[in-house]
Structures are given as structure tokens and as C-alpha cells.
Amino acid sequence: MVRAPGKQKSTKLLLACVGLLGFGVIANYLWASSPRFSNWVAVDNSVTELIIPRKEDPVQDTKSPPVKAEAHKEKKKKNDNGEKDVPGRFLSATFADLPAPELKWEKMAAAPVPRLDGAAIQIKNLLYVFAGYGTIDYVHSHVDIYNFSDNTWGGRFDMPKEMAHSHLGMVTDGRYIYVVTGQYGPQCRGPTARTFVLDTVTKQWRDMPPLPVPRYAPATTLWRGRLHVMGGSKENRHTPGLEHWSLAVKDGQALEKEWRTEIPIPRGGPHRACLVVNDRLLVIGGQEGDFMAKPGSPIFKCSRRNEVVFDDVYMLDDDMKWKTLPPMPKPDSHIEFAWAVVNNSIVIAGGTTEKHPITKRMVLVGEVFQFNLGTLKWSVIGKLPYRVKTTLVGFWNGWLYFTSGQRDKGPDDPAPRKVIGDMWRTKLKLNP
């Protein structure tokens, strides 16, 4: 059959577009499975300055090369669909940022090291920041401390050599920090079942009974005298775990030799917020699935697998039965240390949401969410300086702080880029 010249051109154009799309998907897969993520680059921003993000003036990375005005103007003319672009955070196709008011963010002294998938615990005016990736091939094995009273970093000390370096379960009783399971080593290495407790007064570590089986990033909290650990990913790093265990503890001591089996969590998986407030145990967000070690890789090279991010919120009540609460404004994961309790509300900053349906790239979250515990309603109360996952959050004297994580590529690209050590704060006033 002979095609008309116009139809031949259209066919060739269509095939070219399909080819480019296929190449984009393949390139993204290769990026995700690369032994070195090209976007895992440290940023050192130690200068304190006041930055007010605006739609017409988005926050820029001061280390990035300047963008030529002509190129910037041309970029704003059209988006990927050939439509006129708009200033501010604009994401074509799907999964644009949710509408949110602007917040005035102040940049503080950066953390001593950048970290991804680290952990943080606040005790009074101190934020204890643990472990995490520096790069995909390097993990930290120490603790840094941020003092909210004078806004300085200091007091670094080492973790036990046998302790996990990322995907930790962690909670405090106000003095002792309980550290449960997690991934040992860089890339996508296996987990450890080892459990420790830190006395923040003496800086001494002690062993605790190991978890029955190791887990990655399980939901962890203290409730009614027991250390609760639930969900997370199983030993292959991908399969969601539903198991729920508890251990009686007091003043940094285990009162039992073995963990007790509790009611399974309704939906398994890692990277969730978990906390107790008003004597209720809450588990928020998370995902099913995660990167896995490539079969046969001697360095446990990370290999991408399908992930499902969800917006589920569960509560464990007096009858030890799970209840479903109103879902988050959008699916959100990598938020296990991204929350703070402020005036009878839970505030959550950043995270990751569902992947882009076309490029299949990870989409980072740039919103700040509020869950009012009185009304059980969610709202979007602001924007972060940029989209970022695995933030480490604290709240002190009316200021909401966050540090570390992996930020986006820019206002118009929500895919992950640099691992950072930045510290930011904003004045936050919430009604009870």
C-alpha cells in the first residue's frame, strides 16, 4: 500500500517519538541501577541567609552554575506538551504539586555531612541525627547533634560498629533512644536484626534483644511501656512485611528476653511515619516495594523494582484493633523522620509520591502537610524551599526545622538529584 507523503512524515514522526520515549525509560532504568547515582552529590551551604521562595523567584542552588536569562526565558515559553508555561513550580502531564501557601524559609548552618535515609530524634532542644548514605557507595556510622537554642552543630560521636547504617527503626522516651534493625552497609546490602539503646546523657550504647527477623525501615514507636516494631521490608529489601512485634522496656533496659507477636499491620512496607499521640498509635503513608540488590552482584548493586506509594493512615486503639483514618492529601513515603507534633497536629514535610506515569521517574514531594488530631482532617499548609525526601524534622520554640535528604532537580523537575545536608527553618503557627 502506498502512503501519501504527509502520512509518511506523520508515521516517521510518531515512530521517532516512540523511540525517544523508550530511550527515556531505558535511560532511567540504567540510572536507577547504576553503581553510582549521578545525582548523589554533596552540597555545602554554611552561610546563613533569609530566603523567601516566591512563584516568580524559586529557590536556586547557590552551587549550581547561573542560568542564562535567554535560556530561562525560552524555557518558560512552552512545556513538554507545547503549551505556554507558567512561573513557579510547574510539572507537566501528571502529579503536579498541590496548591499551597508560601512559607518564609531561613537557611541555617548545614549539617557536617550530607545524608540520605538517615534518622533523627529530637530530645528537648537537641536534634540527634544518625547514620545515612553519604553516597550510594558510602554510609555514615556516627551521630551529629544540632542545638536549636544556639543553632549550631556539634557533639559528634560514633555508633556501634555492628549497628545498621540506614533504614533504621528509631524512637525515644525522652532520654534513651532505641535503635532497631535496618540496612548494614552501602548500596542495597542486607539488613541486620541487631538492636541497640543509646543513653543520651552518658553517650553510652547497650545491646538489646535482636528483632526476630531483620527488617528495612520498619514503623517503630513506644506505646504503653512497650517498644513496637511493625511492617518494613523483608530480607530481600522489596517484599512488604506485615509482622508486628513488641518488647517491654523501661529506662533503656529490656524487661523481656524475647519479642512478643502482636496484631499484624493492615498494610506492610517501609518508609512510614509512626508515632504515639493522645495515647493512640498512628502509622502514616509509606510504600510497598523498594530497590533490591542485583542478583549475583558482589557489591549488592541496587536494582530498581516496582514500588507502590500509598496515603493510608492507620490507628491502633484500646482494643488492639487497627482502624482506618482519613488518607493523606496524596500518597507519601520516605517520611519516617519527617514529622513533628505541633499544637495537637501532626506536621509532615516532604517525601516521595507515586512515580511519573510516563517517565517512571521518582517524584519528590515539596508540600508540608498538617493532620489535625481534633478534627481528623488533612490540609496542605505550605511549601518547602524545594522538593525533598527523607527529611529529618524538628520543632522548637515556634520554628519548624528540617535537614538533609535528597532534593529535586529544580522547580520544574521533581526527580531526585543531590543528597544534601542543608538545614532550614520556618516560623509555624497552627491553631490547636
Side-chain angles (χ1 to χ4, degrees):
M1 181 176 66
V2 178
R3 293 186 176 89
K7 291 186 177 180
Q8 289 179 344
K9 291 181 179 180
S10 299
T11 302
K12 290 180 179 180
L13 180 60
L14 176 61
L15 291 174
C17 292
V18 172
L20 287 172
L21 177 60
F23 174 78
V25 173
I26 293 171
N28 182 58
Y29 172 80
L30 291 174
W31 170 84
S33 60
S34 170
R36 292 182 181 272
F37 292 172
S38 61
N39 59 325
W40 286 38
V41 180
V43 179
D44 180 17
N45 294 310
S46 57
V47 180
T48 301
E49 55 183 332
L50 181 65
I51 297 180
I52 305 176
R54 298 173 298 173
K55 289 185 178 180
E56 65 274 16
D57 185 22
V59 174
Q60 297 291 333
D61 179 6
T62 57
K63 295 291 184 178
S64 300
V67 180
K68 292 184 179 180
E70 294 80 11
H72 185 63
K73 182 183 292 186
E74 182 64 25
K75 182 179 179 181
K76 285 190 175 182
K77 287 183 179 179
K78 292 184 179 181
N79 59 31
D80 294 338
N81 295 329
E83 302 166 339
K84 287 186 177 181
D85 205 344
V86 294
R89 293 179 176 178
F90 182 79
L91 175 62
S92 60
T94 332
F95 299 53
D97 300 331
L98 297 176
E102 299 287 351
L103 296 173
K104 295 181 180 180
W105 289 95
E106 183 179 358
K107 201 169 200 178
M108 313 303 289
V113 296
R115 45 169 52 91
L116 171 68
D117 281 320
I121 290 291
Q122 180 178 346
I123 298 178
K124 296 180 181 179
N125 65 323
L126 300 179
L127 185 69
Y128 294 82
V129 179
F130 296 75
Y133 288 95
T135 69
I136 189 63
D137 294 310
Y138 177 79
V139 286
H140 303 299
S141 58
H142 72 276
V143 182
D144 291 310
I145 304 175
Y146 189 78
N147 189 318
F148 292 124
S149 296
D150 57 16
N151 290 300
T152 59
W153 290 92
R156 171 174 173 162
F157 60 95
D158 291 333
M159 302 176 342
K161 293 182 178 180
E162 301 83 7
M163 187 174 140
H165 303 97
S166 67
H167 297 76
L168 297 158
M170 192 175 294
V171 68
T172 185
D173 63 2
R175 171 173 174 172
Y176 298 95
I177 297 176
Y178 299 89
V179 184
V180 181
T181 194
Q183 177 179 312
Y184 191 86
Q187 286 282 347
C188 285
R189 292 182 182 271
T192 174
R194 295 290 297 271
T195 302
F196 300 88
V197 62
L198 168 67
D199 185 339
T200 59
V201 174
T202 65
K203 301 297 189 300
Q204 297 298 310
W205 295 90
R206 286 198 297 265
D207 282 321
M208 296 270 287
L211 207 62
V213 291
R215 288 289 178 263
Y216 293 87
T220 304
T221 194
L222 286 167
W223 189 41
R224 300 177 179 177
R226 302 189 70 85
L227 177 60
H228 287 258
V229 179
M230 62 211 90
S233 291
K234 292 189 175 183
E235 292 89 332
N236 66 3
R237 209 178 187 270
H238 179 74
T239 304
L242 294 170
E243 296 88 350
H244 175 187
W245 301 281
S246 74
L247 182 73
V249 295
K250 184 178 180 180
D251 297 332
Q253 300 280 356
L255 304 182
E256 300 168 331
K257 294 183 179 180
E258 295 182 354
W259 292 77
R260 185 173 80 188
T261 300
E262 304 282 3
I263 181 173
I265 195 167
R267 189 171 189 177
H271 296 307
R272 319 159 95 160
C274 181
L275 64 154
V276 169
V277 62
N278 298 335
D279 197 34
R280 294 292 184 270
L281 192 159
L282 299 175
V283 180
I284 303 171
Q287 67 184 55
E288 294 174 335
D290 207 341
F291 284 76
M292 292 177 63
K294 185 176 181 180
S297 171
I299 62 169
F300 299 86
K301 179 180 177 181
C302 288
S303 177
R304 186 173 180 178
R305 295 293 186 274
N306 184 51
E307 302 165 7
V308 178
V309 183
F310 44 84
D311 55 10
D312 300 352
V313 181
Y314 300 108
M315 180 184 75
L316 200 57
D317 63 11
D318 290 331
D319 298 327
M320 291 300 289
K321 293 182 180 179
W322 290 101
K323 291 184 178 179
T324 301
L325 298 184
M328 300 185 72
K330 69 178 179 183
D332 202 7
S333 179
H334 291 81
I335 56 173
E336 50 264 57
F337 304 103
W339 58 269
V341 176
V342 182
N343 287 357
N344 202 38
S345 286
I346 301 170
V347 175
I348 297 177
T352 63
T353 191
E354 296 179 9
K355 289 184 172 58
H356 195 286
I358 298 176
T359 66
K360 305 303 179 185
R361 290 181 180 238
M362 182 181 290
V363 175
L364 303 186
V365 172
E367 296 91 352
V368 180
F369 302 118
Q370 175 189 0
F371 185 55
N372 188 305
L373 294 163
T375 63
L376 297 183
K377 291 184 178 180
W378 286 94
S379 57
V380 184
I381 61 172
K383 295 180 182 179
L384 297 168
Y386 37 71
R387 307 174 192 88
V388 56
K389 70 171 185 174
T390 69
T391 59
L392 307 176
V393 168
F395 184 80
W396 182 254
N397 197 26
W399 292 93
L400 179 71
Y401 291 77
F402 82 88
T403 185
S404 305
Q406 187 174 22
R407 64 158 295 176
D408 60 14
K409 291 185 175 181
D412 299 328
D413 191 342
R417 185 190 180 192
K418 293 183 178 180
V419 175
I420 59 173
D422 296 352
M423 171 67 86
W424 296 84
R425 73 175 184 176
T426 186
K427 202 71 174 179
L428 193 62
K429 295 182 180 179
L430 299 178
N431 295 324

